[in-house]
């Protein structure tokens, strides 16, 4: 199946400042994907953030910040439906229904939950049901493809499983024919889309870039902050004069993400030629980053300065998202035997 004429959907949690891992691993591929799909629904996962966030001001601010990031990175709100998860609260209803068809063993296998338990953390129930709410996010919109980083693939598998459990338990069928065509009666199985080239963006210490490891380079930051982060990238101790291998260098790994193939060739040649230190490579990376992210930074600042405009974009997105979600939740209610009160459901 091709990606054309399909609905793509993805979410990002409004926790912390978005970084290059988010941009190259998720935001940029999602925006590229939206160019070739018929529909794209991208949302800010503020319900999911509640497993950790305890600051209402920060939640609101960070949600708007993510909207500004998407828009600054080129998201056209006319083409792409940009919305806030909690503006379509039907997702919580679907999450509950899915939790009733999902065995506890499935959620206990989730990496995030297992890691938290292994670290002896006292996890809240939201962490346990996180994959169920995420499945509801996806299934509520009959989503066909979900662009995500590699770390989310397990959650996608779970969403596919949950669609299957629902169809099987409430409709007594898989919902798919032999050719893999969906019958439109139950829930649709999504597919994940992971770009292998950017599946894991390394952080300044070489392990996966993540806000949990404090090894991030922010997408939007002052030049001084950007420089500080880039200069802190860990490299080996090959002396300045010696030829270097670009393929094992964290600086080069990040450069490859933003520079053109010709620029990468040129930088690789300088690595191999010797008399080119990691400090030089870091400055080349900084220059390229400022060139690429500079214009986006200006757009970002303009959006951040106008929260009312951001709110208006999100609310319009929510109205469009809800127009798709309403018939799906009605289909679900009908399948399970819950009443459908058309007027009652058509709120907002
Ligand atoms: P973090 O690890 O900083 O908490 P999130 O889990 O909020 O980031 O990730 C948001 C999105 O960005 C997800 O789709 C995730 O797969 C992607 N992503 C995050 N970090 C990376 C990375 N280092 N490489 C590739 N994709 C990433
Ligand atoms: N769990 C995702 C993350 O941590 C965010 C997310 C929530 C999501 N719901 C989603 C991603 C639905 C894709 C589809 O990054």
């Amino acid at each position: 199946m091709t990606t054309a004429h399909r609905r793509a959907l993805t979410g990002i949690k409004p926790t912390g400042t978005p970084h290059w891992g988010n941009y190259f691993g998720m935001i940029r591929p999602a925006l590229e994907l939206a160019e070739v799909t018929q529909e794209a629904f991208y949302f800010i996962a503020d319900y999911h953030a509640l497993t950790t966030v305890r600051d209402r001001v920060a939640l609101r601010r960070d949600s708007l910040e993510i909207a500004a990031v998407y828009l600054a990175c080129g998201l056209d709100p006319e083409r792409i439906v940009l919305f806030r998860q909690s503006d379509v609260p039907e997702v919580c209803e679907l999450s509950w229904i899915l939790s009733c068809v999902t065995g506890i063993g499935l959620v206990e296998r989730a990496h995030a939950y297992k890691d938290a338990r292994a670290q002896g953390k006292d996890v809240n129930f939201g962490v346990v049901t996180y994959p169920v709410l995420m499945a509801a996010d996806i299934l509520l919109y009959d989503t066909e493809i979900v662009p995500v980083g590699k770390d989310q693939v397990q959650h996608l598998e779970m969403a596919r499983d949950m669609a299957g459990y629902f169809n099987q338990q409430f409709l007594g069928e898989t919902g798919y024919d032999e050719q893999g065509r969906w019958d439109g009666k139950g829930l649709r199985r999504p597919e994940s889309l992971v770009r292998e080239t950017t599946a894991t963006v390394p952080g300044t210490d070489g392990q996966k870039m993540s806000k949990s490891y404090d090894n991030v380079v922010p997408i939007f930051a002052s030049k001084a902050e950007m420089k500080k982060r880039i200069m802190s990238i860990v490299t080996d101790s090959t002396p300045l004069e010696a030829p270097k291998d670009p393929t094992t260098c964290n600086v080069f790994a990040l450069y490859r993400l933003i520079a053109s193939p010709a620029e990468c060739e040129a930088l690789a040649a300088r690595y191999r030629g010797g008399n080119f230190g990691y400090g030089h490579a870091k400055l080349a990376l900084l220059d390229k980053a400022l060139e690429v992210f500079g214009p986006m930074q200006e757009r970002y600042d303009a959006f951040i300065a106008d929260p009312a405009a951001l709110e208006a974009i999100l609310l319009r997105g929510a109205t469009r998202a809800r127009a798709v979600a309403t018939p799906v939740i009605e289909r679900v209610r009908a399948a399970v035997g819950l009443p459908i009160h058309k007027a009652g459901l058509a709120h907002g």
Side-chain angles (χ1 to χ4, degrees):
M1 238 190 294
T2 67
T3 49
H5 311 297
R6 305 173 86 199
R7 181 174 297 138
L9 172 141
T10 196
I12 186 163
K13 258 188 307 177
T15 48
T17 305
H19 53 74
W20 287 14
N22 302 138
Y23 180 73
F24 294 109
M26 208 277 264
I27 299 172
R28 190 174 69 177
L31 293 178
E32 285 171 3
L33 177 67
E35 296 289 316
V36 294
T37 57
Q38 200 177 45
E39 285 183 292
F41 281 42
Y42 294 164
F43 70 92
I44 299 149
D46 54 352
Y47 279 142
H48 275 110
L50 290 177
T51 59
T52 53
V53 178
R54 293 294 174 268
D55 176 341
R56 70 181 77 84
V57 177
L59 185 64
R60 264 188 72 84
R61 187 198 54 223
D62 289 355
S63 297
L64 290 182
E65 188 181 294
I66 298 285
V69 167
Y70 263 125
L71 292 161
C73 292
L75 182 148
D76 171 3
E78 295 304 316
R79 259 189 58 73
I80 297 177
V81 179
L82 178 67
F83 66 105
R84 202 164 23 201
Q85 183 185 30
S86 65
D87 284 332
V88 190
E90 287 86 343
V91 74
C92 291
E93 179 177 2
L94 182 57
S95 179
W96 169 250
I97 293 170
L98 292 175
S99 73
C100 294
V101 293
T102 304
I104 194 118
L106 185 117
V107 286
E108 280 174 348
R109 283 195 292 278
H111 300 314
Y113 172 69
K114 277 194 355 194
D115 291 351
R117 288 303 296 266
Q119 291 165 26
K121 285 190 191 154
D122 185 16
V123 296
N124 59 56
F125 201 63
V127 174
V128 185
T129 58
Y130 188 105
V132 188
L133 179 58
M134 181 159 161
D137 286 327
I138 297 167
L139 304 178
L140 184 61
Y141 300 97
D142 289 340
T143 303
E144 291 163 274
I145 31 181
V146 186
V148 280
K150 215 176 188 168
D151 57 340
Q152 296 297 315
V153 170
Q154 188 196 33
H155 286 148
L156 256 295
E157 288 301 320
M158 292 180 168
R160 287 171 61 83
D161 287 347
M162 286 181 231
Y165 302 147
F166 178 92
N167 294 346
Q168 207 63 58
Q169 294 183 31
F170 286 113
L171 299 167
E173 54 164 56
T174 64
Y176 283 79
D177 69 12
E178 262 112 63
Q179 279 77 47
R181 277 188 302 250
W182 180 54
D183 66 12
K185 290 189 203 144
L187 292 172
R188 184 171 216 158
R189 274 196 316 248
E191 281 170 35
S192 60
L193 185 78
V194 181
R195 288 277 186 92
E196 281 312 319
T197 45
T198 50
T200 305
V201 176
T204 52
D205 58 358
Q207 60 173 333
K208 178 194 174 233
M209 187 179 288
S210 169
K211 55 187 169 271
S212 335
Y213 306 147
D214 195 23
N215 64 355
V216 306
V217 184
I219 307 176
F220 300 119
S222 65
K223 185 177 170 183
E225 172 66 11
M226 189 83 98
K227 184 168 180 183
K228 195 173 117 207
R229 289 298 183 147
I230 288 176
M231 288 300 166
S232 76
I233 298 173
V234 176
T235 52
D236 64 28
S237 53
T238 315
L240 178 84
E241 318 75 59
K244 297 180 179 60
D245 179 4
T247 61
T248 56
C249 175
N250 292 327
V251 182
F252 192 77
L254 292 173
Y255 189 81
R256 272 187 38 204
L257 296 170
I258 32 178
S260 68
E263 287 166 329
C264 292
E265 282 284 307
L267 191 69
R270 295 181 74 190
Y271 268 77
R272 294 194 180 102
N275 275 324
F276 181 74
Y278 290 120
H280 298 124
K282 289 176 182 177
L283 288 177
L285 176 62
L286 176 65
D287 281 348
K288 194 70 211 164
L290 293 172
E291 180 191 318
V292 171
F293 291 116
M296 292 188 203
Q297 172 94 51
E298 281 176 26
R299 289 202 294 271
Y300 176 77
D301 293 341
F303 280 118
I304 283 292
D306 194 353
L310 287 173
E311 282 289 350
I313 290 172
L314 290 176
L315 284 180
R316 229 161 47 81
T319 304
R320 291 162 73 191
R322 197 170 223 169
V324 173
T326 301
V328 181
I329 199 76
E330 287 176 357
R331 190 197 308 143
V332 165
R333 282 181 150 252
V336 306
L338 291 168
I340 299 166
H341 305 296
K342 288 264 180 198
L345 280 178
H347 46 104

